Amino acid sequence: MAKSERWKQRPENSTWGDYGPDDQLGRMNELNAERTKQAVAEVKAGRSFCLSMPLDLPGGNVLNPRRHPPLLRPTVRSDRPNWLYRTEYDQAGLTDVINDDMVLLHLQYSSQWDTLAHVGSLFDADGDGVAEPVFYNGFRGDTDMFGPTDPKEAGSIPGTFVEAKATSAAKKLGVENLAEKCLQGRGVMIDLQAHFGRRKHAVTYDDLMRVMAADGIKVEPGDFVCLRTGFDEVIFEQKGKPTHEAMHNTCTGLDGSDTKLHQWITESKLVALISDNYAVEVHNAPLKPGQCAALPLHQHCLFKTGVNLGEIWRLSELADWLRANNRSRFLMTAPPLNLPGAVGSPANAIATV
């Protein structure tokens, strides 16, 4: 464990300092050249699967009231919409017709990566008895996370005016670190739907170990672990108009409060937990008395151990193929947008088997 000027004490069961005092990658450090070669060796059939949902799904904002579908607009050219724009407007005799667009995009609306800047915690890193907003490896909310205090400089509701200026940025732990890492490694599929169906159930460590034993699944350091719950199929079935019942009361998720599950995540040295559901863990689970995290698995993974989370991925087609072919491993290629300062990104991932 390397000493850091940013903190005097680290959270229990964390990896702060294990990869250096200024590390911003966390467990992604376990994704090395040898493990990438092992992942490439999993390609046997030469078939690829799209693991990203269309970015306009789930549809609406029933799943999360703060996130909305993307809005496409043309750019402006010579005081005209740059859409079916005739270049003859600029110079007689030209024949080009141009479309050029932009997007207002909530980065964590659909298939997404959570960065280590997405969730921190109130924690006494200085050892002075006062908890302050801190993120993975001791990066600070007050110095490393630039953002507004005026709500007028935050958010975007369809139909309202949004000034075209940037108001926030993660100076540390942003998504550009993942993009530059080039996320390509071995994926391991755990098919929870095959064992639990679509009923809502918080999957404990013991549940997970039984599923892995039954299906002959092994997780090793550097692996991208995918959890198929069937929620992606539920989203497709809603056809862009999801109901509250479908979005909040179906399919499994991990039991984020299970400390044995936390310990397994730490000891396995997996680099990411990915699911087709909303939060990987069961969302809106009952809280423990006293001070606690609303999303304990997020806190353990993003804040303590540096394990990235992938949410609302399209996993069912791949999971069905793997089960039919008695396989669980594949080559994962999953780069985020190289958008400096962002705390999340669409996950335009593919699997090759």
Side-chain angles (χ1 to χ4, degrees):
M1 178 176 64
K3 293 183 178 180
S4 173
E5 296 179 356
R6 289 186 306 279
W7 50 271
K8 294 182 179 179
Q9 57 185 15
R10 67 178 189 173
E12 184 181 358
N13 200 18
S14 78
T15 62
W16 290 18
D18 288 0
Y19 300 105
D22 299 315
D23 173 59
Q24 298 184 56
L25 283 174
R27 281 291 193 223
M28 281 296 172
N29 285 284
E30 298 291 335
L31 184 60
N32 56 31
E34 186 59 34
R35 285 164 181 159
T36 300
K37 288 192 292 183
Q38 292 172 355
V40 172
E42 296 294 338
V43 178
K44 299 175 174 64
R47 179 174 175 180
S48 296
F49 293 84
C50 174
L51 302 185
S52 61
M53 303 285 287
L55 287 180
D56 59 355
L57 291 181
N61 65 336
V62 171
L63 189 57
N64 185 321
R66 294 168 295 280
R67 298 172 182 169
H68 300 272
L71 297 173
L72 290 169
R73 296 168 61 90
T75 59
V76 176
R77 182 170 181 164
S78 300
D79 295 325
R80 297 174 185 261
N82 200 3
W83 195 259
L84 298 179
Y85 186 93
R86 303 182 184 189
T87 52
E88 67 178 3
Y89 297 150
D90 301 323
Q91 183 176 330
L94 295 179
T95 60
D96 315 80
V97 179
I98 307 297
N99 290 328
D100 188 59
D101 56 3
M102 56 165 281
V103 62
L104 183 62
L105 179 66
H106 288 67
L107 295 173
Q108 292 165 281
Y109 178 77
S110 187
S111 300
Q112 66 189 259
W113 274 119
D114 284 353
T115 72
L116 307 184
H118 177 48
V119 174
S121 183
L122 292 175
F123 176 72
D124 180 16
D126 297 328
D128 60 1
V130 179
E132 54 271 330
V134 187
F135 292 78
Y136 175 76
N137 215 9
F139 290 106
R140 301 305 182 94
D142 55 355
T143 58
D144 298 314
M145 304 293 160
F146 168 78
T149 56
D150 186 345
K152 294 180 181 179
E153 295 190 345
S156 164
I157 300 174
T160 62
F161 175 77
V162 177
E163 187 177 1
K165 70 174 184 178
T167 62
S168 64
K171 297 178 182 178
K172 301 293 183 181
L173 304 175
V175 77
E176 68 273 16
N177 295 284
L178 294 180
E180 293 170 5
K181 177 63 176 175
C182 302
L183 302 189
Q184 190 169 48
R186 184 171 59 203
V188 178
M189 182 68 70
I190 301 176
D191 191 347
L192 297 177
Q193 180 183 265
H195 295 265
F196 297 101
R198 287 188 178 181
R199 66 184 176 93
K200 188 167 184 179
H201 171 68
V203 176
T204 65
Y205 168 82
D206 292 336
D207 289 334
L208 190 65
M209 292 304 107
R210 282 193 292 269
V211 168
M212 291 173 62
D215 290 350
I217 295 170
K218 183 178 181 181
V219 171
E220 299 182 70
D223 285 345
F224 293 78
V225 175
C226 297
L227 303 164
R228 187 269 188 104
T229 74
F231 192 69
D232 56 344
E233 294 177 309
V234 173
I235 289 174
F236 278 119
E237 290 165 5
Q238 298 291 296
K239 298 180 179 179
K241 297 181 179 180
T243 66
H244 186 277
E245 175 67 21
M247 292 298 95
H248 295 283
N249 293 304
T250 58
C251 300
T252 58
L254 295 182
D255 182 351
S257 65
D258 188 341
T259 56
K260 289 198 296 183
L261 189 59
H262 295 181
Q263 192 63 33
W264 174 75
I265 292 168
T266 300
E267 292 176 354
S268 68
K269 294 188 177 181
L270 56 84
V271 298
L273 277 171
I274 297 158
S275 181
D276 56 10
N277 70 10
Y278 176 44
V280 182
E281 61 188 309
V282 171
H283 192 245
N284 291 330
L287 300 178
K288 292 182 177 180
Q291 289 186 314
C292 67
L295 293 170
L297 189 75
H298 277 62
Q299 185 180 79
H300 179 75
C301 290
L302 300 176
F303 171 63
K304 291 185 178 182
T305 56
V307 170
N308 289 99
L309 299 176
E311 301 167 356
I312 320 180
W313 285 33
R314 185 178 183 172
L315 299 180
S316 287
E317 184 183 12
L318 171 63
D320 286 342
W321 188 94
L322 290 169
R323 179 166 288 276
N325 288 273
N326 196 30
R327 291 178 55 180
S328 62
R329 294 179 168 188
F330 55 93
L331 171 64
M332 168 81 81
T333 305
L337 297 178
N338 195 342
L339 183 58
V343 303
S345 168
N348 195 25
I350 61 173
T352 310
V353 296

